[in-house]
Amino acid sequence: MEPAALGAAVMVGVLARSRRAAAVDAGLYGFTLALVFMVAGYDGAEPLSGRLPFFALLGLFGAACAAALALVGALVRRRLSREPREGGPSQA
């Protein structure tokens, strides 16, 4: 995946309302992105219809990667939004 696509998947997680929404939304994004790039870049001799099952399988891998990155983004959002604990280090 392109670095911009990786950052976009993380941002989906940061902006999502829940971890489940982050994973689902980023999964759809990753699948679509991977599939579209493979279809658009295909210039083989075999008809595209014969390659679609393989492309869909790789799209599922893209979905899994994007979902994982979105969960990282959700974790970052959660860590950044926490209030400092009582008795913890002061921010003076």
Side-chain angles (χ1 to χ4, degrees), residues 29-81:
Y29 164 76
F31 179 82
T32 304
L33 183 70
L35 187 66
V36 166
F37 271 108
M38 286 183 281
V39 168
Y42 183 69
D43 61 353
E46 187 176 330
L48 180 60
S49 60
R51 304 304 295 166
L52 278 179
F54 178 68
F55 289 169
L57 186 63
L58 289 176
L60 290 176
F61 179 73
C65 291
L69 287 169
L71 291 175
V72 168
L75 179 65
V76 167
R77 176 183 42 88
R78 196 167 137 210
R79 297 280 172 144
L80 291 176
S81 67

